[in-house]
Amino acid sequence: MSVNGSAGGRPDVAALREEIRQTRAELGETVQALAAKADVKARAKEQVEQTKQRARAQVYDASVKVRRNPVPVVAALVAGAALVGIILIVRGRRK
């Protein structure tokens, strides 16, 4: 048997066809991967969609936490309202 896989030094046609088929498949995968990397618009849309989903998840998590324990949120709102009230009073006295 020779290096080519058949007797007499002649290449095995079936082996060559399989090698060609495998090479074509690998080349197709490579071209697809390169095309995906070159498609900036699609990659940007995908990134935006992932960011939206992360933001939605964070909003949902925060709303669940607020529903479980609303005291800190109410306290922050009261403190903010008090601060706005103080600012308005101080500005009113300056005039």
Side-chain angles (χ1 to χ4, degrees):
M1 185 122 44
S2 72
V3 176
N4 294 331
S6 64
R10 298 186 70 205
D12 183 15
V13 174
L16 286 175
R17 286 187 176 152
E18 177 59 27
E19 185 179 337
I20 290 169
R21 186 198 64 76
Q22 182 65 31
T23 303
R24 284 181 179 159
E26 290 172 359
L27 181 60
E29 291 173 5
T30 301
V31 168
Q32 286 179 343
L34 289 172
K37 283 189 172 188
D39 191 356
V40 175
K41 187 175 181 179
R43 289 174 61 197
K45 284 184 179 180
E46 182 180 327
Q47 187 67 31
V48 166
E49 189 58 36
Q50 289 176 357
T51 303
K52 283 182 185 178
Q53 289 182 3
R54 278 196 304 271
R56 286 183 189 124
Q58 289 174 347
V59 167
Y60 176 78
D61 291 344
S63 67
V64 168
K65 288 178 183 177
V66 168
R67 283 188 205 121
R68 286 184 187 157
N69 187 9
V71 173
V73 175
V74 171
L77 290 173
V78 168
L83 182 61
V84 168
I86 291 170
I87 291 172
L88 291 175
I89 290 171
V90 168
R91 281 189 175 179
R93 288 185 180 173
R94 285 186 186 171
K95 290 182 180 180

